[in-house]
Amino acid sequence: MHLRHILHALGRHRIAVGLLVLEIAFSCAVVCNALFLIGTRLERMQRPTGVDEMHVVEVGVRSVTPGTPEATMAQTRTDLARLRALPGVSDAVVASSTLFGDSVSFSGVSLSDDAKAPSLAVAQYFGGAQLARTLGLKLASGRWFNPDEFVSYDALQGGASGVPVIISRALAQHLFPGQDAAGRTIYAFGANRVVGVVDRLVQPRDYGAAGGYDYAMMFPVDLPYSRGTYLMRVDDPARRQAVIGQALQALKADGPLRLISPRYATTLEAARAKYYRNDRAMAWLLVGVSLLLLLVTALGIVGLSSFWVGQRRRQIGIRRAIGASRRDIRTYFQAENFLIATGGIVLGMALAYGINLVLMRHYELGHLPGYYLPIGSVVLWVLGQLAVLGPALRAAAVPPVVATRAA
Amino acid sequence: MFTYYFDLALRSLKRNKVLTALMVLAIAVGIGASMTTLTVMHVLSGDPLPGTSSRIFYAQVDNDPMPGDRHVEPPDMMDYQSAMDLWNAKRADRQALVVNPFPEKVSAPDVSRPPLMVQMLSTTSDFFPMFGVPLEYGSGWTPDDDRKRARVVVISSDLNDKLFDGGNSVGRTLVLNKHAVRIVGVLKPWRPSPPFYDVRGGRYANGDTASFYGKPEGLFLPISASLEMNDGDFQQFNCWSMPPKPGHLVNAPCNWMGLWVQLDSPAKVAAYRGFLAHYAREQKGLGRIQFTETRLRDLMQWLAFNRVVPRDVKLKMWLAFAFLAICLFNTVGLLLAKFLRRGGEIGVRRALGASRRAVFAQCLTEAGLIGFIGGFFGWLLALLGLWLVRHQQAPYSDLVHLDLSMFAVTFVLAIAVSLLAGAMPALRASQISPALQLKTL
């Protein structure tokens, strides 16, 4: 097989070859970046939260007629007792914000009480004594809150001093690099002593690549149901829906007029799926578009190769007549396609990096990792070989006698 | 001559049905995808106030006293004091404050309907004339109502349909968080895209800005009255220290009010800029604020600054155009194959006296015809695509329709793309020399 001959022959179809090279280059560049985008979306969708999501359900209750704070708090305690008594529920608690929920609250955290000290906005959770157990958080160092450390919501907002805090490990490492954060003091609601560090705790909403997703802290607050959501820990994930149903009934059975609806009740797993719905849709769209692009490229290769075969029937016949085997003819077309694809891939890689640079500017994406390029190359080489196989076999089937016929 | 070319083109398309179908399909899919995404972009990136948007401005003052590196831009909203000072100064042709309280329970006492939770906007009387808000019945409230804290309200046509079956409800009473308010105006169906006066904080959304395109509020009421009725139910944009009572934001160290002004001439814009800068310096002199950055962006600049078009929508559009480009390459290749395969026929026509130009025109006619057919199917695909978009749960879903201009763009784009694809193959075909081809026949 003489590559020189193939190159020479290709040189006589510069326009068609150029078109194919461009088409392959362009789809190589787009597909590489699409794969990369799919990868980043999948990575985002699978970010761990540090919470044992399979075992947690939430039920929100909207208060319709505001009662006195004392009455609301008493109702909350009754509710919690009822929820904890449900079969298959091991813990229940009120938390200020839930993962993948609508509300996020941040506070500025700094390392000194000087108002001029630089501060960092950190997502915060307020919740009752069972919060850490309900969520299945893991302690990295220090301790959990003590029962006597819980304060009321109004006391915390009113600036009760010395409320302890538990922070996420990422936040601890950011604030106190290389040291144990337990026992240190941060300034959020006045001076707060860090009593514990949890392995992982994240912001309720994942805002993307902005960073700080895993900076979070929790405060020991006895919240009334009107300021938060009921979270429950379910022993058996298979019974989560059943537990939600029972919880709604239990909450409806007693208490003042309240809005209790399955609309505000969900498993954390379902909340995650809903939260990342757009990312999933986008990933599927990218998969679909990439497949279609490859299909269109393959059709283009089939179309042009068939045309070439048709055009060269006599030439093939002559070659067959002077001794070339069917195999020679087939490998000729395959080698030709390989060369064209290689040209396209080389150009495509440059283009892929160009597109990546634009995406980086507008989408806060990282650099296209190097391994996307060999993946893209292999995909297009294989695609090219598959697409050219039909026309190449048809070329190989041209009988030598064609050489004598047409002239 | 054209009818003859058209006839030739039709014959030629019929001769090789598979190749024709492939080309039409490629263009149809490419056009369908591009037009779907382009229409969504067109709807989302349009001017919500065509004609007046260049005279509408959003004012910003940096009143956050906290030190740090965040003072390159003033905050997106203002505190009560600054907003009221600037609004009371009346230095613009028109001015409107906007504040969003939390949604409230609303009922109509003389209508047997369960209460509804309704999103509301607290604003000032200029809101309606300044933003050209169309009214079905009644009118907006007067500056006098602003001053007197009148318990009046303007309701959306949606809410009017729900509560009063769309009848003229001016003069009727609503109960809003235990307070009675009188309806003075009912809006016509009004769906600005986006409800621009509520746009803020876009730079923190990380491109996830679909929520900016929600429906306008159901209730519009004077800020002066709202401050009394909704006290404790206001939401801050940001605070630099804890408000003494959460939700009570008058005189709290929090930003929560927006100020829109209308300035009818460039001289007035310059004067207002000067006024804002002067106000900031004066307040710094008084020690109330520490930083003197101010901004006055016009409506479209404000939307651009907030990057309102969701980045996924943009990404989809670029994908669709990449797809169209590949389809274009492909069509070029297929047309080239097709025209050159007909070398013999073209040679005969040339030998019989057809000029190069005639051959070129005939080939282009064929390409254009493919484009037109592809455009037709592309239009159907775009309708299907938009139908799918409307059935997604995005806040902007109900906005997305193919208007007449986008319908025209579909065919123009399809034919332009196919002519572009056909130009080079047609040129090659027209260069076929008659003699060489005749010899091989």
Side-chain angles (χ1 to χ4, degrees):
Chain A
M1 189 89 292
H2 300 291
L3 285 180
R4 207 156 49 86
H5 291 163
I6 300 177
L7 281 175
H8 185 71
L10 285 181
R12 295 181 47 191
H13 298 275
R14 253 166 275 150
I15 293 177
V17 171
L19 274 175
L20 266 186
V21 167
L22 277 180
E23 189 174 338
I24 291 172
F26 205 66
S27 53
C28 177
V30 173
V31 168
C32 276
N33 278 289
L35 285 177
F36 178 48
L37 283 171
I38 292 168
T40 55
R41 298 278 169 147
L42 291 183
E43 185 270 329
R44 194 170 117 83
M45 285 167 62
Q46 281 157 7
R47 279 184 195 178
T49 53
V51 169
D52 181 4
E53 289 170 33
M54 291 303 285
H55 290 91
V56 181
V57 300
E58 59 182 61
V59 177
V61 177
R62 307 289 163 102
S63 87
V64 175
T65 44
T68 63
E70 292 75 23
T72 312
M73 203 61 224
Q75 179 66 45
T76 307
R77 293 204 185 92
T78 324
D79 284 351
L80 282 173
R82 281 171 176 275
L83 294 177
R84 282 177 198 142
L86 292 176
V89 173
S90 53
D91 279 306
V93 71
V94 184
S96 60
S97 23
T98 60
L99 282 173
F100 316 115
D102 291 328
S103 91
V104 194
S105 111
F106 291 91
S107 273
V109 167
S110 62
L111 289 178
S112 96
D113 59 353
D114 181 356
K116 289 192 168 60
S119 79
L120 177 73
V122 178
Q124 59 204 358
Y125 293 85
F126 307 133
Q130 265 84 358
L131 182 58
R133 260 202 324 228
T134 304
L135 296 179
L137 299 178
K138 301 223 166 16
L139 200 63
S141 69
R143 60 167 174 85
W144 297 116
F145 297 124
N146 291 329
D148 61 345
E149 285 172 334
F150 284 82
V151 296
S152 73
Y153 182 75
D154 288 335
L156 182 84
Q157 297 285 323
S161 63
V163 178
V165 62
I166 289 177
I167 63 177
S168 69
R169 186 151 70 179
L171 178 61
Q173 275 165 3
H174 177 83
L175 293 174
F176 309 103
Q179 303 163 40
D180 187 5
R184 309 289 294 263
T185 299
I186 63 172
Y187 295 83
F189 291 89
N192 302 111
R193 202 157 56 85
V194 179
V195 295
V197 176
V198 287
D199 249 356
R200 190 169 169 81
L201 183 64
V202 297
Q203 293 177 6
R205 292 179 79 80
D206 180 359
Y207 287 111
Y213 175 53
D214 45 4
Y215 294 171
M217 56 187 176
M218 43 194 265
F219 292 94
V221 182
D222 279 319
L223 285 179
Y225 73 84
S226 55
R227 291 212 172 269
T229 305
Y230 286 121
L231 297 181
M232 274 167 283
R233 185 172 182 80
V234 181
D235 298 328
D236 176 8
R239 291 208 59 245
R240 282 175 297 177
Q241 281 306 333
V243 165
I244 286 179
Q246 290 166 342
L248 289 173
Q249 280 201 329
L251 293 172
K252 256 182 213 157
D254 172 46
L257 183 60
R258 298 185 288 178
L259 218 50
I260 296 164
S261 154
R263 264 203 301 168
Y264 311 128
T266 175
T267 65
L268 216 47
E269 192 190 17
R272 171 186 277 271
K274 192 173 163 209
Y275 184 78
Y276 287 117
R277 195 175 46 195
N278 283 342
D279 294 272
R280 193 175 322 105
M282 197 68 193
W284 278 115
L285 185 79
L286 287 164
V287 169
V289 169
S290 304
L291 288 178
L292 273 176
L293 276 183
L294 292 176
L295 181 73
V296 172
T297 309
L299 285 179
I301 295 173
V302 173
L304 270 188
S305 311
S306 307
F307 165 66
W308 275 337
V309 171
Q311 217 183 23
R312 294 188 220 166
R313 273 177 73 82
R314 256 190 75 215
Q315 184 195 335
I316 296 165
I318 293 171
R319 285 197 55 206
R320 291 276 285 127
I322 59 175
S325 66
R326 285 173 192 274
R327 204 191 129 109
D328 288 337
I329 304 293
R330 184 170 51 83
T331 43
Y332 176 87
F333 279 97
Q334 286 179 322
E336 188 185 67
N337 181 270
F338 184 80
L339 282 181
I340 293 174
T342 307
I345 287 164
V346 170
L347 195 62
M349 295 304 153
L351 205 56
Y353 261 99
I355 294 178
N356 178 236
L357 289 180
V358 176
L359 286 177
M360 272 169 65
R361 192 127 48 88
H362 295 285
Y363 290 85
E364 296 179 30
L365 273 183
H367 264 297
L368 187 69
Y371 55 80
Y372 279 95
L373 303 185
I375 296 177
S377 318
V378 169
V379 167
L380 281 157
W381 267 320
V382 171
L383 184 81
Q385 290 301 310
L386 287 179
V388 84
L389 197 60
L393 286 176
R394 228 171 314 137
V398 171
V401 72
V402 168
T404 60
R405 223 184 263 158
Chain B
M1 213 56 191
F2 181 74
T3 45
Y4 173 58
Y5 291 159
F6 190 77
D7 188 46
L8 279 182
L10 265 181
R11 280 163 195 275
S12 157
L13 292 185
K14 273 188 219 151
R15 203 173 315 148
N16 200 333
K17 292 201 180 78
V18 179
L19 210 58
T20 306
L22 267 183
M23 287 188 285
V24 166
L25 191 70
I27 290 186
V29 175
I31 291 290
S34 319
M35 287 314 298
T36 303
T37 55
L38 199 63
T39 301
V40 175
M41 263 305 265
H42 175 70
V43 166
L44 298 191
S45 62
D47 183 343
L49 272 187
T52 48
S53 61
S54 60
R55 289 182 285 142
I56 303 291
F57 294 82
Y58 189 76
Q60 287 169 273
V61 174
D62 192 353
N63 50 0
D64 181 344
M66 298 298 278
D69 49 8
R70 58 181 186 223
H71 289 281
V72 263
E73 272 293 333
D76 290 24
M77 302 194 87
M78 284 189 235
D79 64 313
Y80 181 77
Q81 184 71 52
S82 309
M84 280 304 177
D85 284 352
L86 293 170
W87 182 72
N88 280 323
K90 308 264 184 256
R91 294 296 185 96
D93 292 302
R94 280 176 176 143
Q95 45 243 313
L97 292 170
V98 287
V99 172
N100 289 104
F102 281 112
E104 292 283 5
K105 200 170 56 165
V106 173
S107 58
D110 47 351
V111 173
S112 57
R113 287 279 164 98
L116 298 163
M117 293 298 277
V118 182
Q119 199 81 41
M120 62 177 110
L121 182 80
S122 306
T123 181
T124 50
S125 53
D126 280 357
F127 180 86
F128 301 96
M130 183 164 153
F131 295 147
V133 185
L135 282 122
E136 180 80 50
Y137 305 114
S139 61
W141 60 85
T142 61
D144 200 39
D145 290 328
D146 278 330
R147 257 193 308 281
K148 290 195 311 207
R149 303 177 205 165
R151 300 284 169 100
V152 292
V153 66
V154 172
I155 65 175
S156 70
S157 75
D158 259 5
L159 188 63
N160 194 46
D161 289 347
K162 270 187 206 145
L163 289 177
F164 304 108
D165 296 321
N168 184 350
S169 55
V170 170
R172 298 179 79 157
T173 303
L174 290 182
V175 175
L176 209 163
N177 196 16
K178 291 181 199 154
H179 303 280
V181 287
R182 186 168 48 87
I183 298 174
V184 293
V186 178
L187 300 189
K188 284 190 177 143
W190 185 54
R191 185 78 170 87
S193 157
F196 51 90
Y197 50 88
D198 279 342
V199 165
R200 61 189 77 110
R203 59 196 142 136
Y204 306 110
N206 212 351
D208 197 2
T209 48
S211 60
F212 282 147
Y213 291 87
K215 292 197 166 97
E217 292 81 354
L219 293 169
F220 300 81
L221 63 166
I223 276 190
S224 53
S226 171
L227 286 178
E228 298 172 350
M229 293 190 295
N230 304 105
D231 193 26
D233 275 329
F234 290 100
Q235 203 172 358
Q236 68 266 19
F237 180 78
N238 69 310
C239 293
W240 46 95
S241 62
M242 214 53 190
K245 274 167 90 182
H248 301 260
L249 296 181
V250 173
N251 296 326
C254 295
N255 288 320
W256 57 298
M257 296 184 127
L259 174 65
W260 289 95
V261 294
Q262 180 178 330
L263 300 162
D264 287 335
S265 71
K268 285 179 179 169
V269 176
Y272 203 87
R273 274 185 216 287
F275 164 63
L276 269 185
H278 171 76
Y279 176 77
R281 280 198 304 274
E282 178 196 79
Q283 293 294 309
K284 190 179 179 187
L286 292 171
R288 196 175 71 82
I289 67 174
Q290 307 299 324
F291 298 88
T292 55
E293 282 294 314
T294 58
R295 291 283 185 283
L296 189 68
R297 291 184 167 90
D298 72 27
L299 174 55
M300 292 314 279
Q301 286 169 343
W302 178 244
L303 295 183
F305 173 69
N306 279 283
R307 288 173 240 159
V308 288
V309 179
R311 63 176 186 170
D312 278 1
V313 171
K314 287 189 212 161
L315 184 61
K316 282 178 197 163
M317 190 187 71
W318 290 121
L319 262 180
F321 277 94
F323 193 69
L324 183 63
I326 302 255
C327 292
L328 185 70
F329 283 132
N330 212 345
T331 310
V332 176
L334 295 178
L335 279 175
L336 193 66
K338 193 157 192 223
F339 291 162
L340 296 188
R341 195 183 281 181
R342 291 214 315 268
E345 178 201 318
I346 293 169
V348 172
R349 285 193 57 213
R350 292 274 287 124
L352 291 177
S355 65
R356 284 182 194 282
R357 234 182 131 129
V359 172
F360 183 74
Q362 198 251 305
C363 288
L364 267 194
T365 308
E366 190 173 332
L369 187 60
I370 291 172
F372 183 79
I373 302 172
F376 175 75
F377 286 107
W379 169 62
L380 292 183
L381 284 177
L383 287 183
L384 177 72
L386 291 173
W387 183 82
L388 287 174
V389 173
R390 275 198 296 279
H391 284 77
Q392 283 176 351
Q393 286 181 334
Y396 52 77
S397 295
D398 63 315
L399 286 166
V400 176
H401 288 277
L402 194 81
D403 59 19
L404 206 61
S405 64
M406 292 316 264
F407 175 79
V409 170
T410 310
F411 282 90
V412 170
L413 188 67
I415 293 175
V417 158
S418 64
L419 290 183
L420 192 69
M424 205 262 302
L427 197 68
R428 293 280 296 175
S430 69
Q431 277 160 357
I432 289 172
S433 67
L436 223 87
Q437 294 295 328
L438 284 180
K439 213 170 60 181
T440 60
L441 275 177

